[in-house]
């Protein structure tokens, strides 16, 4: 099940990269060392930018080093693939994703994270280093893959979903993680360190494989409360005995048994 859904998202992001190479070039505006940058297709090159706006099918190439003073904003229907190739990205403020967008951030080899790895497609032994000083938020996105990213603020995903899996894995989150209102084939919250609360609500999983348990909530360390309600068909702590979550305060609702 996990292999099949992962193949779908890798194919989608690979297609985006291929199509992006034939699209319009990214456009810079402004003056000085940090300029505003709009990517309409293709690779975002290394550089320092005041902000990045993604309006087409864009990617980050292997070895790219990108510093954004402000936000990265992925607009409605656009795509940003920063999970197929190893890169270094720092974001001074927030990363946002609008309705119908697809965003992948971060990849690491098994030598870094064991069997929870999300390997870089173009360099399976490479790894990305991505940090966001502010928040990561998506509203109505097709999918958001957040793998091995450091987020100082909150991660908030509201609505959206598709046949592409949502992966929230191996991240360090300084604030809260909130995921609500998705209808998707697969969604996993795995191996994260979350300083605040983790709240998962009203998520419907459409995986048709026999016995598919629903949302995976596996081996997270949560500083405050872990709350799960309205997860259909249910919730799973994974397949490895003893793979429970560590919660600083209370585990509530459907996740009460996953500690």
């Amino acid at each position: 099940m996990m292999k099949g859904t992962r193949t779908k998202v890798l194919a989608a992001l690979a297609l985006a990269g291929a199509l992006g190479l034939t699209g319009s070039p990214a456009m810079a505006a402004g003056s000085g060392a940090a300029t505003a940058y709009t990517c309409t297709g293709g690779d975002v090159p290394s550089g320092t930018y005041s902000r990045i706006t993604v309006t087409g099918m864009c990617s980050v190439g292997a070895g790219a080093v990108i510093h954004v003073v402000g936000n990265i904003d992925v607009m409605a229907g656009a795509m940003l693939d920063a999970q197929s190739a190893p890169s270094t990205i720092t974001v001074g403020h927030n990363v946002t994703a609008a309705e119908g967008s697809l965003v992948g951030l971060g990849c690491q080899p098994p030598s870094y994270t064991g069997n929870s790895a999300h390997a870089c497609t173009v360099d399976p032994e490479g790894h990305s280093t991505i940090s966001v000083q502010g928040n990561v938020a998506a509203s109505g996105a097709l999918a958001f893959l957040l793998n091995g990213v450091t987020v100082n603020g909150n991660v908030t995903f509201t609505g959206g979903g598709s046949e592409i899996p949502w992966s929230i894995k191996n991240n360090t989150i300084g604030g809260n993680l909130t995921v609500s209102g998705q209808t998707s084939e697969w969604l996993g919250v795995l191996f994260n360190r979350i300083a605040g609360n983790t709240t998962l609500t009203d998520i419907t999983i459409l995986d048709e494989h026999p016995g598919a348990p629903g949302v995976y909530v596996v081996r997270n360390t949560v500083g405050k409360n872990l709350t799960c309600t309205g997860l259909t068909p249910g919730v799973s702590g994974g397949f490895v005995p003893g793979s429970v979550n560590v919660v600083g305060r209370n585990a509530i609702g459907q996740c009460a048994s996953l500690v």
Side-chain angles (χ1 to χ4, degrees):
M1 180 269 294
M2 292 180 67
K3 181 178 179 182
T5 53
R6 183 173 296 167
T7 299
K8 288 182 180 180
V9 73
L10 291 177
L13 291 173
L15 176 61
L19 293 176
L21 292 176
T22 63
S24 301
M27 298 180 294
S31 60
T35 61
Y37 202 94
T38 298
C39 182
T40 62
D43 283 353
V44 178
S46 296
T48 297
Y49 306 102
S50 61
R51 66 181 184 273
I52 292 178
T53 303
V54 178
T55 62
M57 290 178 284
C58 298
S59 58
V60 175
V65 178
I66 296 171
H67 175 65
V68 185
V69 177
N71 286 1
I72 294 178
D73 297 311
V74 183
M75 307 308 285
M79 187 178 298
L80 176 63
D81 176 7
Q83 62 107 54
S84 292
S87 63
T88 299
I89 303 173
T90 59
V91 182
H93 289 168
N94 307 314
V95 176
T96 71
E99 185 174 358
S101 62
L102 173 59
V103 180
L105 298 180
C107 53
Q108 320 85 33
S111 60
Y112 271 55
T113 59
N115 61 8
S116 67
H118 185 91
C120 308
T121 307
V122 302
D123 181 4
E125 294 304 315
H127 71 91
S128 58
T129 302
I130 300 177
S131 63
V132 180
Q133 296 301 310
N135 305 311
V136 173
S139 178
L142 293 178
F144 205 116
L145 294 87
L146 194 70
N147 296 293
V149 177
T150 297
V151 181
N152 285 355
N154 302 315
V155 174
T156 306
F157 297 145
T158 306
S162 66
E163 293 184 355
I164 300 170
W166 290 60
S167 173
I168 306 164
K169 183 166 62 175
N170 296 317
N171 303 292
T172 299
I173 300 172
N176 302 316
L177 171 64
T178 304
V179 185
S180 63
Q182 284 76 20
T183 299
S184 205
E185 181 174 343
W186 190 87
L187 190 150
V189 179
L190 319 165
F191 308 97
N192 301 285
R193 298 183 66 86
I194 302 154
N197 298 305
T198 295
T199 305
L200 311 176
T201 59
D202 300 325
I203 300 168
T204 299
I205 300 301
L206 301 177
D207 189 347
E208 296 179 354
H209 290 76
V215 179
Y216 281 81
V217 183
V218 181
R219 294 186 66 179
N220 301 284
T221 299
V222 180
K224 295 182 180 179
N225 298 314
L226 171 62
T227 303
C228 303
T229 61
L231 308 185
T232 304
V235 64
S236 173
F239 300 108
V240 180
S243 291
V244 296
N245 301 276
V246 177
V247 178
R249 293 183 182 174
N250 301 305
I252 302 166
Q254 290 168 283
C255 286
S257 63
L258 301 183
V259 296

